[in-house]
Amino acid sequence: MPIQHVSDTARWVAVYRAMESERPDALFRDPFARQLAGDLGHEIVRTMKNGVGAAWSMIVRTQVMDELLLRRVRDDGVDCVLNLAAGLDARPFRLALPSTLRWVDVDFADVLDYKWTVLKDATPSCRYERMPADLSDATARRAIFAALGREHRRVFVIAEGLLIYLGEEDVLALARDLHAESSFRWWLIDLASPRLLKWMQRSWGKRAADGQAPFRFAPEAGTGFFEPAGWHELEFRSSWRESHRLNRKMRGAWLWGLIGRFSTKRQRRESERMAGVVLLVTSNGTGRG
C-alpha cells in the first residue's frame, strides 16, 4: 500500500506537477516536483486506478490557483500568504512573488523537514518560513492564526488538497478560526461535489482509506456551506471549463461534451460545478478594506 498517511498524497500530486513541467508547452514549471515526489509518489501514481489519466485535474487545479494567487498579490496588496497543509507545494520557489511578501507553510514537521531537504539550496522569491503544526489541534492552529493576524493586514490563505480529507465539523471549525482574524481576507480552496465524491470513493476510496486518507468532504450546499462561518464565494473556477481553456482536457471529454448538449441547463450547471477552485472572501464580500 503506497499511501500510508494523508501526507503521502502530496507526493502523488507532485508527480503530476512534474509531468506538466516536462511538457514543451507546460502551463507552469516546477523544477523541484520530480525530486519532491520521489519513488513513493511515482509508485502511488503507478498503482492507482487511472493514475496517469487523472493528471489533468491536478494540473488544472495548480494552474488556476497560481493565477488567482498572483492576481491578488499583484492587485490587492497581499502582504502574507498562509499555506495550510502545505505539503510539497513549491510556489514560493517557483513563482515570481514580491520579495517583501511573507509566505508561511504550515504542515506536519516531518513533511516540512522532508521538503526542506529538497529545497534548502533553492532561493525563494519572497520571505519564506516553515511553521510545523498539526492543523487538527485547534489550540495550535489558533495560535498561529492569531500571531499572523497581529502582524499583517492582508492575508491570503491557501488550503489546496486539504478539505476533501476532513469532516464537515472540522471544516466548519477551521473556517470559523480563519474568519476570527480580521486580516485574513481571502481563502483559496478546491471543492468537490457529492456526486464527484461518490465517484472518487468508488475509484480510489478503498486505497485512500486504507492509507489513512479517506475522502470525506463534499458539502451538499456547495460554497454555501461556508456562509455561516462568514466566508462567501467570490470566484468559482470550474475544473471542466478551465480544462478546456487551458487545453488540459480529460480523456473522453468530447463524449461528455456531446452528452452535455442534450442536458438541461440545471444539469449542465451541476456538471460544471462537480469540481473546481474557489476563492472565498470574508463577509464584506470583497476581501478588501
Side-chain angles (χ1 to χ4, degrees), residues 136 141 163 165-175 216 225:
S136 67
R141 72 171 182 251
L163 302 189
Y165 301 108
L166 303 180
E168 289 195 359
E169 288 302 316
D170 298 319
V171 175
L172 193 58
L174 175 61
R216 302 172 66 190
F225 173 88

Side-chain angles (χ1 to χ4, degrees), residues 171-190:
V171 175
L172 193 58
L174 175 61
R176 286 171 173 159
D177 287 349
L178 290 170
H179 187 263
E181 302 301 326
S182 61
S183 63
F184 289 15
R185 310 295 185 88
W186 302 271
W187 187 14
L188 188 62
I189 63 171
D190 50 291

Side-chain angles (χ1 to χ4, degrees), residues 101-277:
L101 177 73
R102 184 183 184 188
W103 185 292
V104 178
D105 274 356
V106 179
D107 209 325
F108 297 112
D110 58 339
V111 175
L112 296 180
D113 288 346
Y114 167 73
K115 180 161 68 172
W116 191 242
T117 64
V118 176
L119 298 176
K120 61 180 171 42
D121 294 326
T123 302
S125 57
C126 57
R127 295 162 49 207
Y128 175 69
E129 296 177 37
R130 297 170 289 153
M131 289 190 180
D134 180 349
L135 287 167
S136 67
D137 182 337
T139 301
R141 72 171 182 251
R142 288 169 187 162
I144 290 174
F145 296 173
L148 295 177
R150 287 192 299 269
E151 296 169 18
H152 298 279
R153 293 183 59 251
R154 308 178 73 78
V155 178
F156 187 104
V157 182
I158 301 177
E160 181 179 14
L162 169 62
L163 302 189
I164 189 73
Y165 301 108
L166 303 180
E168 289 195 359
E169 288 302 316
D170 298 319
V171 175
L172 193 58
L174 175 61
R176 286 171 173 159
D177 287 349
L178 290 170
H179 187 263
E181 302 301 326
S182 61
S183 63
F184 289 15
R185 310 295 185 88
W186 302 271
W187 187 14
L188 188 62
I189 63 171
D190 50 291
L191 191 64
S193 70
R195 180 178 168 191
L196 178 61
L197 180 65
K198 290 179 181 178
W199 181 89
M200 292 174 67
Q201 290 172 335
R202 287 196 305 268
S203 299
W204 302 325
K206 186 177 186 305
R207 297 286 299 279
D210 288 347
Q212 304 179 58
F215 303 125
R216 302 172 66 190
F217 184 70
E220 288 283 353
T223 57
F225 173 88
F226 299 92
E227 292 181 3
W231 293 96
H232 301 265
E233 176 187 323
L234 181 64
E235 288 191 56
F236 183 98
R237 296 282 194 93
S238 163
S239 297
W240 173 259
R241 281 186 173 272
E242 293 298 289
S243 71
H244 285 71
R245 177 178 72 88
L246 298 170
N247 194 28
R248 293 296 183 272
K249 297 183 286 291
M250 65 180 290
R251 186 179 303 150
W254 67 271
L255 178 59
W256 290 107
L258 181 62
I259 293 172
R261 293 183 183 180
F262 299 95
S263 302
T264 65
K265 185 176 181 180
R266 180 183 64 81
Q267 289 171 330
R268 286 196 297 272
R269 175 175 170 78
E270 288 178 354
S271 294
E272 289 178 358
R273 291 183 73 97
M274 276 185 64
V277 170

